[in-house]
Amino acid sequence: MKLALLVVPFIFAQAFAVEHCYSEVVGACSPVGGGVENCNAKYGAINEIHKELSNYANLLINKNWQFLLLHTHFSNYEANRPGLTKLYKKYADKLWEDSIKVAKYITKRGGVTDFSYKKVAPAETNIENYELTEIASLGKGLDLWKYVANEVFHVHAEVGRRRETVHDAETLSFLENEFVHDHSEIVRKLSGYTNDLKSLLSNPNDSNLALWFFDNYVAKAAE
Amino acid sequence: MNPLSIFTIGIIFIFAFNTNVQGKLQCKAPIVDIPKDWLDMKDPCVKKVQAQVQEELTAAMTYFAMGAHFSKDTINRPGFAQFFFDSATEEREHATKLIHYLLMRGQLTTEVGQLIRDPAPLAEIWPDGITALKNALKLEAHVTRKLVDIAKICEDPGQEGEHWNDYHIVDWIANEYLDEQYKGQRQLAGMISNLGKMIDTNGQLGEFLFDKKLLFGDDFVKDMVTA
């Protein structure tokens, strides 16, 4: 009997936990009526991390503008580097599309995208002056993408904890499938480009021609 | 100074010099003297086009927020969401096209960072679909007025611009932008008209059906434009 006294409330609590929406719907259909606030897509740790995800969507939007401006700089007739122009436009477009993916994901899990929630980013992720040399822009691009990649790791770490209230397997999977693999490819590519250009610019007699050849290569590779 | 000290200083100097040469890169390309005669856009006109980039991006962010709003599980209007997300990307492309035009005319060689100043959505929630569509139409009308302003200023930039008529951009704005703006506005007005009639007597059901038509009816929105 004692065991039954312990078990019955437990079963009742479990049933209640999964039937919030059902109870509200039944209530709404009764003569008294009522709301269905608990009929939502929230489960797992979404309440814990939807702010983090909003911050990430805003971060991606911000980096998309930065790469769009880098693309603009290398597209002016004085800088005139079609390869870097194409590369940075490609990155800007990817960041924009990814920000839409994050916003859609937040709502898929019953959350709300807060466009004004932006954590203060480190100063080195800002660009005061876009009139950068080719190699400086690659260095800056690499830093920006590493920041974007590390911020995913941060959200991943938040939802990867073992405590059930903050663990969220679906968000882990979303971040891994949609972002982390792409990020490692991009970071590797930009690191390679920066080191290539560093070698090519080491001989002052070659540098101007080297920049031209290198940009031509980037244009082909960015297709 | 004894000979050993002189030798030591010499070695240090050679070492430092060599390190310097090895690590130093020639990063900056030389400045080329390019004739400026072809740069004929006038300042007031350039400033107007630059300001329009931010206008288009504010519209893009507003549509982005509309897309996010109608994606919510408790709102659940995937057709509206898809329509607004697509509109957001389209507005961003409009801004990019303006940037490309300025670059083609030899502009944007300095202070590029001023062009985009963290555009934010004008709102983040809407009471229903028809309000969002009405807001979108008002936003488009605002953007259109700004585009007409560009055409006016570029046609006659006043004394500061030596009253120089920039035929090319005026024609380009009219053909590339105004044409799309007026067709887009007609499309939105048509959508508001249909949805307005549907919800007049069938409120929620009307919006639900309209949303599914937006989601699955391939040419539904396109057909709104008869021009």
Side-chain angles (χ1 to χ4, degrees), chain A residues 39-42 61-62 64-65 68-69 71-73 75-78 81 89 92-93 96 99-100 103-104 107-108 110-116 118 130-131 133-135 197-198 201-204 207-208 211, chain B residues 21-30 34-36 38-39 57 60-61 64-65 68-69 71-74 85 88-89 92 96 99-100 103 106-116 118-121 124:
Chain A
C39 294
N40 58 50
K42 288 178 186 167
I61 291 168
N62 175 266
N64 130 74
W65 303 140
L68 198 60
L69 290 172
H71 133 275
T72 303
H73 166 64
S75 193
N76 83 47
Y77 75 96
E78 286 172 346
R81 298 292 184 205
K89 177 68 166 47
D93 290 349
W96 174 258
S99 68
I100 293 178
K104 283 182 178 172
T107 57
K108 181 182 175 185
V112 175
T113 308
D114 180 349
F115 289 90
S116 55
K118 296 167 192 174
Y130 283 85
E131 289 150 50
T133 62
E134 290 78 357
I135 193 166
L197 202 49
K198 189 229 168 222
L201 295 176
S202 58
N203 182 349
S207 63
N208 294 327
L211 281 171
Chain B
V21 167
Q22 226 177 19
K24 190 167 168 60
L25 304 180
Q26 180 64 44
C27 298
K28 218 172 161 65
I34 306 167
K36 306 282 181 204
W38 67 289
L39 302 173
L57 294 180
M61 287 309 301
F64 191 132
H69 172 78
S71 282
K72 288 175 195 163
D73 59 327
T74 49
F85 277 131
T89 299
R92 180 178 171 274
T96 311
I99 290 173
H100 288 166
L103 289 163
Q107 302 300 317
L108 303 179
T109 52
T110 56
E111 292 174 7
V112 177
Q114 300 301 310
L115 207 53
I116 301 173
D118 197 18
E124 293 187 23

Side-chain angles (χ1 to χ4, degrees), chain A residues 46 53-54 56-58 60-61 93-109 113 115 145 170-171 173-183 186, chain B residues 64 67-68 71 85 89:
Chain A
I46 192 67
L53 288 170
S54 285
Y56 197 63
N58 290 323
L60 294 174
I61 291 168
D93 290 349
K94 176 172 172 50
L95 287 158
W96 174 258
E97 283 158 20
D98 285 354
S99 68
I100 293 178
K101 273 185 199 167
V102 176
K104 283 182 178 172
Y105 180 75
I106 293 171
T107 57
K108 181 182 175 185
R109 297 295 307 281
T113 308
F115 289 90
W145 272 111
E170 172 66 3
T171 304
S173 168
F174 166 70
L175 296 175
E176 284 169 10
N177 292 332
E178 298 292 341
F179 302 111
V180 297
H181 308 306
D182 285 356
H183 290 170
I186 292 169
Chain B
F64 191 132
S71 282
F85 277 131
T89 299

Side-chain angles (χ1 to χ4, degrees), chain B residues 74-200:
Chain B
T74 49
I75 304 290
N76 203 36
R77 292 286 174 258
F80 279 93
Q82 186 177 286
F83 176 73
F84 287 126
F85 277 131
D86 289 348
S87 302
T89 299
E90 206 175 291
E91 293 303 323
R92 180 178 171 274
E93 277 163 17
H94 288 173
T96 311
K97 212 158 94 171
L98 287 167
I99 290 173
H100 288 166
Y101 183 88
L102 288 172
L103 289 163
M104 184 271 287
R105 295 288 301 272
Q107 302 300 317
L108 303 179
T109 52
T110 56
E111 292 174 7
V112 177
Q114 300 301 310
L115 207 53
I116 301 173
R117 299 174 307 283
D118 197 18
L122 298 171
E124 293 187 23
I125 50 168
W126 289 266
D128 48 33
I130 197 154
T131 308
L133 287 175
K134 284 179 181 176
N135 285 1
L137 181 54
K138 284 179 189 167
L139 183 57
E140 288 302 325
H142 169 78
V143 170
T144 304
R145 280 194 296 276
K146 293 283 177 185
L147 286 163
V148 171
D149 282 350
I150 295 178
K152 276 184 196 162
I153 293 291
C154 295
E155 191 173 0
D156 182 5
Q159 217 164 7
E160 197 190 333
E162 299 151 27
H163 299 287
W164 191 77
N165 187 336
D166 195 330
Y167 294 104
H168 188 270
I169 192 167
V170 174
D171 180 60
W172 184 77
I173 288 284
N175 282 320
E176 296 285 328
Y177 279 81
L178 291 178
D179 183 61
E180 198 175 326
Q181 282 301 120
Y182 287 123
K183 283 178 180 164
Q185 286 170 186
R186 167 65 184 82
Q187 180 191 69
L188 283 166
M191 289 167 80
I192 295 165
S193 168
N194 279 14
L195 179 59
K197 287 170 209 158
M198 286 164 80
I199 62 172
D200 186 52

Side-chain angles (χ1 to χ4, degrees), chain A residues 13 36 43 45 69 72 74 87 93 111-112 115 119 122 125 128 141 149 167 186 194-195 207:
Chain A
V36 289
Y43 69 101
L69 290 172
T72 303
F74 284 102
L87 182 72
D93 290 349
V112 175
F115 289 90
K119 290 201 271 181
T125 62
E128 293 300 326
H167 187 84
I186 292 169
T194 313
N195 281 288
S207 63

